[in-house]
Amino acid sequence: MPSDASSTTPRGAMGKWPSLGLLLVAEIAGMSLWFMSAAILPDLVREFGISPFSQAALSSAVQIGFVVGAVASALLGLADRIDPRRFFASCAIAAALFNASLLVVEPGGFLSIFARFATGALLAGVYPVGMKIAVGWGKADRGFLVGTLVGALTFGSAAPHLLALLGGTDWRWSLSVASAASATGGILCLFTALGPFHAKAPRMRIGAVLTAWTDRKIRFAYAGYLGHMWELYAMWAWIGVALAASFSAHMAPEAALPLSRLVAFLAIAAGGAACIVAGLVADRVGKANIAILAMVVSGSAALASALAFGGPVWLTILCVLVWGAAILPDSAQFSALVADYAPPDQAGSLMTFQTALGFALTFFTVQLTPLGAELIGWPGVFAIMAIGPALGIAGMLRLKRIS
């Protein structure tokens, strides 16, 4: 495993791998809040009769909140100006409190949608800030470091489906466990150390994000990321619902729902595992090459899943598992590329701004996906999702030409 940063760690401070291990646990715990409403949505609909608009709003509010939080953080340079561990911890704990508020407000009402918005805004201090901490620990192994961090994010994103499966119809138990986990993760992050490549910005520079446009390499890395995000969160947010519809063609709904939750968890988790492996390989064969390969496979798997929809259950599961494994490894490499090309004291802000643009796009894809399913069916929606990887590949090929 490559390593180029631990010798300058201050005496008595936690070393590189213990710090990163603790950071990964904190990331998994914090990001367990992201898809909580989507995972327990069938139970909420059954108990409260939430309207289709409110169902979509509960999921998309997280994306909107994240965009608002990430843009504010990027413009103010928060990840580069203040201790990222304290920023991470405060955001994870506050997000846990807003998530837990769903226990006492009316699900599907204004306050519940606002709580999901606030949760998303605060998670902008968890995901990109975690990447800022990770890239401070290395340069030669940066693809692996960010890949591992994004893998942790993915396991956290998959966790709500597992919690919903374990909790059965008791959505309150699932919600409470995720909230407790996020708060605990925030506390754990405080005990990590910052690496020798960590750089702090001396002052607020709102114009720093303009580097994303003036630097062609960063611009094409952003373009590839946007193609990737066109597909990613729409798939993650709705794959459980889509699978339940597909499986219902061959089994009773009461059997299709738990199976769809299990496969959704496994598909998202598979992406996390693949992200770690791809990160290790990317430092040897090139980050852009790994991103291109991942998008070729994920786009193809999206089309295969469209063709398999409603067919044999085993075939649909196989296609979705391949899709889930391939849909994520490119994400970490886009962020690692930005960190490579950015000035060290702007890396946190530029990675945060990158995620803000990506999640702004996901607001539309997540919101429109169930409406598209009603109009053209899930197979048609899956095929449209494949457009994103195709555009992302074009961006990466342009980047390779100028690198």
Side-chain angles (χ1 to χ4, degrees), residues 32-279:
S32 68
L33 304 181
W34 191 281
F35 287 118
M36 198 67 247
S37 59
I40 63 176
L41 189 58
D43 302 316
L44 295 177
V45 171
R46 183 166 51 250
E47 184 173 342
F48 299 100
I50 301 174
S51 69
F53 173 81
S54 294
Q55 293 177 41
L58 281 171
S59 293
S60 59
V62 181
Q63 268 80 2
I64 300 173
F66 184 93
V67 171
V68 172
V71 168
S73 176
L75 291 177
L76 297 175
L78 297 181
D80 293 314
R81 293 172 51 230
I82 62 179
D83 189 324
R85 298 165 298 184
R86 294 180 181 178
F87 190 22
F88 184 115
S90 60
C91 287
I93 294 170
L97 294 175
F98 274 105
N99 190 68
S101 72
L102 294 179
L103 295 169
V104 295
V105 301
E106 178 189 356
F110 170 78
L111 289 179
S112 66
I113 294 172
F114 174 77
R116 294 302 290 161
F117 171 87
T119 299
L122 290 162
L123 289 178
V126 174
Y127 168 31
V129 175
M131 289 194 293
K132 167 70 174 182
I133 298 173
V135 300
W137 280 105
K139 288 187 176 179
D141 58 349
R142 187 164 282 171
F144 173 72
L145 294 176
V146 181
T148 303
L149 193 284
V150 175
L153 172 149
T154 308
F155 292 131
S157 298
H161 294 286
L162 180 61
L163 292 175
L165 178 64
L166 296 175
T169 58
D170 188 2
W171 62 269
R172 293 173 178 84
W173 177 88
S174 305
L175 191 76
S176 299
V177 171
S179 298
S182 180
T184 302
I187 295 171
L188 289 177
C189 189
L190 292 173
F191 294 93
T192 63
L194 299 178
F197 296 103
H198 173 76
K200 182 178 179 181
R203 64 187 184 279
M204 183 175 71
R205 291 180 298 180
I206 293 179
V209 297
L210 295 178
T211 306
W213 179 254
T214 58
D215 188 303
R216 293 183 67 203
K217 293 180 180 179
I218 295 179
R219 188 163 75 241
F220 286 129
Y222 271 38
Y225 181 74
L226 291 175
H228 153 79
M229 290 297 284
W230 170 274
E231 172 192 33
L232 178 65
Y233 271 80
M235 187 271 199
W236 275 7
W238 296 106
I239 192 60
V241 176
L243 286 173
S246 179
F247 296 160
S248 294
H250 299 278
M251 59 180 67
E254 56 268 21
L257 180 58
L259 180 59
S260 68
R261 284 174 167 172
L262 176 60
V263 176
F265 167 75
L266 293 175
I268 297 174
C275 197
I276 296 171
V277 176

